[in-house]
Amino acid sequence: MATYKVKVATGTDLLSGTTDSISLTIVGTQGESHKQLLNHFGRDFATGAVDEYTIQCQQDLGELIIIRLYKERYAFFPKNPWYCNYVQICAPSGRIYHFPAYQWMDGYETLALREATGKTTADDTLPILLEHRKEEIRAKQDFYHWRVFVPGLPNYLHIPSYRPPVRRNPNRPEWNGYVPGFPILINIKATKFLNSNLRYSFLKTASFFIRLSPMALGFKLRGLVDCKQSWKRLKDIKKIFPANKSVVTEYVSEHWAEDSFFGYQYLNGVNPGLLRRCTRIPDKFPVTDDMVAPFLGEGTCLQAELEKGNVYLADYRILEGIPTIELNGRKQHHCAPLCLLHFGPEGNLMPIAIQLSQTPGPDCPIFLPSDSEWDWLLAKTWVRYAEFYCHEAISHLLETHLIAEAFGLALLRQLPMCHPLYKLLIPHMRYTVQINCIGRALLLNEGGLSARSMSLGLAGFAEVMVRALSEVTYDGLYLPNDFVERGVQDLPRYYYRDDSLAVWDALERYVTEIITYYYPCDAAVEGDPELQSWVQEIFKECLLGRESSGFPTCLRTVPELIRYVTIVIYTCSARHAAVNTGQLEFTAWMPNFPSSMRNPPIQAKGLTTLETFMDTLPDVKTTCITLLVLWTLSREPDDRRPLGHFPDIHFVEEAPRRSIETLRQRLGQISHNIRQRNKGLPIPYYYLDPLLIENSISI
């Protein structure tokens, strides 16, 4: 007889436990055990439990390779889901085998799990293991399907659409995930159609909606979400500030109109990847030396500053020509501005010229800091309006959320759980599908945010993303290239660049250690069919087969694979943190980041007053809707996992486990350095502090 000691770990999230019957079969190279019911006196498989059992076999089963878990009805109890973390088996030899699951078993079903050693197809020689990996991929491809979201955007997981919640009786204030007077298109039941393994945990779901509802209800009770009028005074906008203000929130509200802070946001705001060094003034932006000489300092001129590399350009051409909609009974307006900035000897990046159109002419003056106070402030506000769309549509939603979902869905469909790349990447896909479902309901759905509070509406917001995806390149997502290509690699006080490169370096070292452990040579990369299928599917379904993107359709060398995987992990973690975490802080003061403009761009100087400025800004209702959603989507709910913290045990080999620990140490040092630096800054920059970066896009 051979004795096997078995540990079965149930998940810790509420409702992870089950009352169903669980049985186990162990498969080894020398035989297979009988089906053994796992049952003790009292409760088995309770939430957070690690239950221990003993299984007797007629003979030693040899090296353990697969187990099968059977979930079946128990007595008269109703069917009850179960989340299994892992199964661990101690063989008679004393060797411990780990079988990771980290998934739900919803119905009465059988789940086959492989031993945790990471293996590519070339590493498997046993027919049973080769068949298992093929069957796993087949099953996942039958279950997970691609679907066209918007033509021209990355495809996504084929699941039913959200529907707005309904109050059956308008005279009864019943709660159905519905905020009276504020149908935000979310209710708690709306996620029931998602596969359990893609959904938020109970804790995260509860946290998300608990954070959303009181603020929305507060706006309603104060009559703010029903008010379609202009704000009467600028200081009234502070009435909608969230209770949990921060140093940055307060700084923005006090300094938003200052030129130095306007320039600062291009470096360390929520959209820090737009600015480019300007070596030649474009013909469409006829700025002359006479116009800007007073703002360049003594003893220099525009051409000299261009040659020194002190002039920068923010060009919003991608927004040109998109039609607007009507909000709250009033036509909205739009523009695609250009903004010229100068880095002066004082160490500040200052705006020196703004044009509110891509086409110069008599009705499109170039605004200067010497213009009247309200003309210049309104011109800068139009630029901040354009920033809203380049940030929300491109840098945030497209270049992190939608692209990351495509990375993850291709991973699920093409790589089995035993594949080293699956083990490496799966922590960075956690909850991304769920938050994207919520995002589509909030942003890209009839009656959602884009249709209710943005000048461009649903179609216009989507068009911005379609245009942007047609310009996304593989090199552009390779972070070190981006700063060089934009000419900002040596721009002082660019904390986003410094911190992002530090995090990138830590991730790249980690990826290098893992990849070189499992892929000893280039031939191992090129000869991995599952890896190649994953890369091809991303090219087809995310980049829509666009060859000009430069995205590879296959990988042939170890360095190519290291670069590719680092891009994926960085996109799904730090890139998202940089553009997401500060949304509330830079948006709470609405004039700094307006989502709509109610008057046309100014066509002549000297006509703007405080009254016309206030009349151009979003009305009260639009402001509240925008702030509520951005507040919700920038406040990390509970059940978060900081970058480098991988509680799910996917890797069991010593080398990758050491690499994970080394990554955490490197990230810890980066976090320490950032916090020490921030002590001396008037505005701390902490969005890329590794302790605040989530492993995945989950909010």
Side-chain angles (χ1 to χ4, degrees):
M1 298 290 288
T3 301
Y4 292 86
K5 296 180 179 179
V6 178
K7 291 183 179 180
V8 182
T10 297
T12 57
D13 187 48
L14 191 65
L15 308 180
S16 292
T18 186
T19 55
D20 287 346
S21 175
I22 305 296
S23 300
L24 173 70
T25 297
I26 306 172
V27 180
T29 55
Q30 302 298 321
E32 179 176 331
S33 75
H34 63 283
K35 179 180 175 182
Q36 173 72 50
L37 177 66
L38 304 180
N39 185 36
H40 288 141
F41 179 77
R43 175 74 189 274
D44 293 283
F45 313 112
T47 297
V50 179
D51 296 296
E52 299 185 16
Y53 306 90
T54 299
I55 293 180
Q56 299 287 346
C57 296
Q58 294 294 327
Q59 63 181 33
D60 192 305
L61 302 177
E63 184 180 345
L64 305 189
I65 53 177
I66 290 176
I67 63 169
R68 299 188 189 97
L69 289 169
Y70 306 87
K71 184 167 173 285
E72 300 165 310
R73 177 183 292 278
Y74 176 72
F76 56 84
F77 288 96
K79 183 168 59 179
N80 179 246
W82 178 46
Y83 187 88
C84 178
N85 275 350
Y86 61 84
V87 176
Q88 196 175 87
I89 301 176
C90 181
S93 65
R95 178 178 173 183
I96 295 176
Y97 293 84
H98 186 76
F99 297 84
Y102 302 108
Q103 57 187 291
W104 288 94
M105 297 178 73
D106 288 322
Y108 300 134
E109 57 187 283
T110 301
L111 176 63
L113 299 172
R114 282 189 53 152
E115 191 272 329
T117 303
K119 291 185 178 180
T120 64
T121 325
D123 299 321
D124 274 340
T125 55
L126 295 175
I128 187 174
L129 294 179
L130 289 168
E131 182 56 34
H132 178 272
R133 70 191 305 144
K134 290 178 182 177
E135 180 55 36
E136 181 186 339
I137 292 175
R138 237 185 339 256
K140 290 194 292 188
Q141 290 179 355
D142 287 342
F143 190 83
Y144 298 114
H145 298 277
W146 291 99
R147 180 180 185 179
V148 175
F149 174 32
V150 172
L153 288 183
N155 295 328
Y156 76 116
L157 180 63
H158 185 186
I159 50 178
S161 299
Y162 279 99
R163 293 289 182 267
V166 176
R167 275 175 64 188
R168 298 176 183 85
N169 182 351
N171 297 317
R172 285 183 57 199
E174 58 183 315
W175 170 253
N176 184 30
Y178 179 98
V179 181
F182 197 80
I184 201 66
L185 298 184
I186 292 183
N187 74 39
I188 295 176
K189 298 177 182 177
T191 61
K192 64 183 179 182
F193 55 79
L194 270 178
N195 174 264
S196 297
N197 293 309
L198 301 178
R199 287 205 299 260
Y200 275 177
S201 63
F202 179 88
L203 176 62
K204 202 172 188 77
T205 300
S207 173
F208 184 93
F209 288 99
I210 287 171
R211 290 169 189 264
L212 169 67
S213 304
M215 188 174 180
L217 190 58
F219 282 170
K220 173 64 180 175
L221 294 176
R222 287 185 285 164
L224 296 173
V225 294
D226 296 321
C227 180
K228 302 178 182 179
Q229 304 302 313
S230 300
W231 292 96
K232 300 299 182 184
R233 300 171 299 177
L234 279 170
K235 66 179 183 180
D236 290 342
I237 299 173
K238 272 208 170 184
K239 292 179 180 178
I240 64 170
F241 260 41
N244 51 339
K245 302 179 181 68
S246 71
V247 173
V248 177
T249 304
E250 294 288 356
Y251 192 96
V252 172
S253 67
E254 294 172 6
H255 299 273
W256 68 283
E258 297 173 6
D259 288 357
S260 58
F261 181 66
F262 178 91
Y264 169 88
Q265 293 184 81
Y266 280 105
L267 303 181
N268 305 306
V270 291
N271 191 34
L274 180 78
L275 196 70
R276 291 178 175 272
R277 177 168 283 159
C278 182
T279 57
R280 175 184 171 276
I281 302 297
D283 294 338
K284 64 181 180 180
F285 195 12
V287 177
T288 66
D289 187 66
D290 288 342
M291 291 179 182
V292 298
F295 321 117
L296 302 178
E298 296 182 2
T300 188
C301 64
L302 180 57
Q303 184 58 39
E305 293 303 296
L306 288 167
E307 293 172 0
K308 292 176 184 177
N310 291 333
V311 180
Y312 296 84
L313 179 66
D315 188 348
Y316 300 89
R317 59 171 180 76
I318 201 165
L319 303 178
E320 186 178 19
I322 299 179
T324 59
I325 62 170
E326 184 177 288
L327 290 177
N328 302 323
R330 183 162 169 177
K331 174 69 175 174
Q332 304 297 299
H333 296 274
H334 180 65
C335 76
L338 296 113
C339 180
L340 202 66
L341 300 104
H342 176 249
F343 188 82
E346 300 83 7
N348 293 322
L349 189 66
M350 305 285 279
I352 56 174
I354 294 172
Q355 180 177 290
L356 300 182
S357 169
Q358 296 286 306
T359 306
D363 294 333
C364 184
I366 294 176
F367 293 92
L368 306 169
S370 54
D371 291 335
S372 71
E373 174 188 0
W374 293 108
D375 276 353
W376 181 235
L377 183 58
L378 184 54
K380 289 191 295 181
T381 304
W382 271 110
V383 174
R384 295 300 301 162
Y385 159 87
E387 270 285 292
F388 179 94
Y389 286 95
C390 285
H391 168 260
E392 293 297 345
I394 302 173
S395 304
H396 186 201
L397 187 53
L398 172 66
E399 292 183 349
T400 62
H401 282 264
L402 301 188
I403 288 178
E405 181 177 2
F407 288 161
L409 182 52
L411 180 83
L412 291 175
R413 285 172 43 86
Q414 298 299 341
L415 299 180
M417 290 176 62
C418 65
H419 198 287
L421 291 181
Y422 180 95
K423 296 174 179 292
L424 177 61
L425 293 171
I426 196 62
H428 304 287
M429 309 300 168
R430 185 174 185 251
Y431 298 149
T432 299
V433 170
Q434 167 76 88
I435 189 56
N436 281 6
C437 289
I438 295 174
R440 289 184 188 99
L442 284 171
L443 293 171
L444 299 172
N445 204 4
E446 292 297 336
L449 172 63
S450 58
R452 290 161 55 85
S453 63
M454 297 186 186
S455 290
L456 300 186
L458 176 59
F461 193 76
E463 173 62 21
V464 175
M465 290 192 292
V466 170
R467 292 182 182 185
L469 183 64
S470 70
E471 298 181 4
V472 167
T473 65
Y474 185 60
D475 283 344
L477 294 182
Y478 181 64
L479 185 77
N481 277 2
D482 174 64
F483 297 111
V484 176
E485 195 271 334
R486 291 191 290 116
V488 294
Q489 67 273 23
D490 55 359
L491 189 55
R493 301 183 187 177
Y494 198 1
Y495 309 123
Y496 158 74
R497 177 201 57 217
D498 301 340
D499 296 351
S500 63
L501 287 174
V503 173
W504 174 279
D505 179 67
L507 291 175
E508 189 174 49
R509 291 187 186 188
Y510 165 64
V511 170
T512 299
E513 292 170 7
I514 300 289
I515 295 297
T516 53
Y517 178 78
Y518 290 102
Y519 292 92
C521 61
D522 293 344
V525 172
E526 190 168 12
D528 185 346
E530 293 166 343
L531 160 63
Q532 303 302 341
S533 295
W534 175 58
V535 172
Q536 289 164 14
E537 187 151 294
I538 289 174
F539 177 73
K540 176 185 175 184
E541 303 293 347
C542 181
L543 281 301
L544 309 180
R546 180 171 57 85
E547 293 183 1
S548 61
S549 69
F551 263 75
T553 56
C554 65
L555 299 174
R556 294 187 172 88
T557 68
V558 171
E560 286 178 1
L561 178 56
I562 291 170
R563 173 177 288 204
Y564 196 95
V565 171
T566 306
I567 287 173
V568 171
I569 294 178
Y570 183 84
T571 298
C572 297
S573 56
R575 181 182 292 274
H576 177 254
V579 298
N580 178 77
T581 309
Q583 284 185 104
L584 176 64
E585 295 182 318
F586 284 89
T587 307
W589 180 254
M590 175 272 291
N592 186 60
F593 217 47
S595 65
S596 67
M597 297 290 264
R598 297 182 297 160
N599 287 328
I602 38 182
Q603 298 180 332
K605 296 186 179 184
L607 302 179
T608 309
T609 63
L610 171 59
E611 289 70 26
T612 57
F613 181 82
M614 298 300 295
D615 193 54
T616 302
L617 292 176
D619 58 39
V620 176
K621 180 176 183 178
T622 299
T623 303
C624 289
I625 294 173
T626 303
L627 180 59
L628 174 61
V629 176
L630 294 180
W631 177 82
T632 304
L633 296 181
S634 64
R635 306 306 295 172
E636 184 66 49
D638 295 323
D639 189 16
R640 61 183 303 274
R641 293 181 178 177
L643 186 61
H645 291 251
F646 308 126
D648 295 351
I649 305 171
H650 290 285
F651 287 112
V652 292
E653 300 96 313
E654 186 61 30
R657 299 295 298 173
R658 284 198 306 267
S659 296
I660 291 172
E661 181 56 34
T662 301
L663 171 66
R664 293 184 61 175
Q665 292 173 4
R666 288 174 181 148
L667 293 174
Q669 184 60 52
I670 293 170
S671 177
H672 172 77
N673 294 344
I674 289 173
R675 294 178 181 219
Q676 289 298 112
R677 177 201 65 202
N678 284 345
K679 291 179 180 179
L681 299 179
I683 317 173
Y685 184 78
Y686 42 72
Y687 304 134
L688 287 171
D689 182 339
L691 290 178
L692 302 179
I693 299 173
E694 184 86 9
N695 272 330
S696 60
I697 299 173
S698 66
I699 188 61

